[in-house]
Amino acid sequence: VLLDFSTSLNPLGPPPAVYRALRRQLQGGAALEHYPDPACTVLRERLVALHGVAPNQVVLGNGSSELIQAIPLAFCCRRVAIVEPTYTEYLRASLLARAAVTHWLAEGDDFVPEPFDPEDAQLIWLCNPNNPTGRLWPHGVLPAWMAAHPGTLFVVDESFLPFRPDEAEHSLIPHLSRLPNLVVVRSLTKLYALPGVRLGYAVTSPEYADLLRARLVPWSVNAFAQVAGVAALKDQAYLGLTHAWFRSETQSVMAALQKLTLNLRVVPSEANFVLLRLRSVSSAWLLNKLRAHSIRVRDASNFIGLDEHYVRIGLHDSESNRSLVRQLAECLNPKHGKESSG
Ligand SMILES: Cc1ncc(COP(=O)(O)O)c(C=O)c1O
């Protein structure tokens, strides 16, 4: 079997309640025979209750990807800044909207994010925690930075934040009432392991929500995605299991990887994935080696600000993670690998 660490989905797999809800939908037939609710009323109510915002502040999309693509068009941004290295779709969306793009690179080997002067940027993209570095913005820094630049729109992608047990302390959604220049984007496909369904949302001011909604395809969130989202959000037990997994696996994998520091540098991660810098070999070389052991990791050399020495691993269950660390040790230092696996 292939062990795929190249994506960063919840290794618990889709919540069982989602399978049950989708089966019920198919049996009834109505979900196939009618157009979906364009307002996603039931799903939106769940998100309103979850975040304590008004219904007109929530915009649902066909994956957060649909929202990311619509944002620069909806807000007519001509000049955009991106905090790099980060998810490449912010750049693609900005270029599709014919915006001029400036890249801000996080300083140092650990990619600690810091505020900068937006100068004439009308929109700043950032991701928290950031894909692929796994770094989280220090507590309190983002709201202060945003308040100091009311003329700049900040788009904060929190797609990986709900994996963290302390997500409520780090989310910017509670700050929306004081920050009219903020759009928070979230994906439901990472946390609930539903990438095939396509579901994401944005939370912002009612005015910005209207502008964004006007840019989306009609009925973009299909009936099955709506039902899957409602079932997933209801499942509190799943969230508890996810947080328990996050606590134990992030700590033990980071500790195990730190022991391989002769061969690689571990970027300290605060997310459910880890960025590694290989010391003496290229990512292509390592991918090839791991492929022979049916292991796949993400070649991270294409991110702006990274090079051919970077790979990203999305964490799995503890047994798979242990296999990965063992294989990494073996590939990067065959002698060490044999000792540690024996
Ligand atoms: C940071 C980030 N945001 C958003 C997305 C898009 O997710 P989706 O469209 O499945 O919601 C991804 C996918 O890899 C991502 O890494």
Side-chain angles (χ1 to χ4, degrees), residues 101-133:
V101 179
T102 311
H103 300 279
W104 285 88
L105 200 56
E107 295 273 335
D109 290 343
D110 284 346
F111 302 102
V112 177
E114 274 178 38
F116 52 85
D117 179 356
E119 296 171 359
D120 62 353
Q122 296 159 313
L123 184 156
I124 295 180
W125 293 99
L126 55 97
C127 185
N128 196 36
N130 185 38
N131 175 13
T133 61

Side-chain angles (χ1 to χ4, degrees), residues 63-65 68 87 90 127 131 157 159-160 187 189-190 198-199:
S64 55
S65 303
I68 290 168
Y87 185 46
Y90 313 141
C127 185
N131 175 13
D157 184 343
S159 288
F160 291 102
S187 168
T189 71
K190 313 283 179 195
R198 317 302 306 125
L199 194 56

Side-chain angles (χ1 to χ4, degrees), residues 41-51 229-231 233-234:
T41 313
V42 182
L43 177 55
R44 190 204 300 238
E45 273 165 14
R46 294 253 160 225
L47 294 169
V48 162
L50 176 68
H51 294 302
V230 170
L233 287 164
K234 244 192 240 176

Side-chain angles (χ1 to χ4, degrees), residues 7-9 61-68 86-90 126-132 157-160 185-190 194-201 273 298 303 312:
T7 59
S8 305
L9 302 171
N62 189 272
S64 55
S65 303
E66 185 186 24
L67 303 165
I68 290 168
T86 196
Y87 185 46
T88 49
E89 286 300 303
Y90 313 141
L126 55 97
C127 185
N128 196 36
N130 185 38
N131 175 13
D157 184 343
E158 295 187 350
S159 288
F160 291 102
V185 172
R186 284 196 169 205
S187 168
L188 289 171
T189 71
K190 313 283 179 195
L194 298 169
V197 154
R198 317 302 306 125
L199 194 56
Y201 60 101
F273 46 84
R298 169 73 151 84
F303 287 96
R312 187 195 66 199

Side-chain angles (χ1 to χ4, degrees), residues 82-86 104-116 126-130 132-139 141-142 145 265-270 275 305-306 310:
I82 306 178
V83 185
E84 303 280 7
T86 196
W104 285 88
L105 200 56
E107 295 273 335
D109 290 343
D110 284 346
F111 302 102
V112 177
E114 274 178 38
F116 52 85
L126 55 97
C127 185
N128 196 36
N130 185 38
T133 61
R135 299 314 307 246
L136 198 61
W137 280 75
H139 207 258
V141 168
L142 284 177
W145 185 27
R265 199 189 136 68
V266 188
V267 177
S269 174
E270 292 152 303
L275 184 66
L306 302 188
Y310 284 92

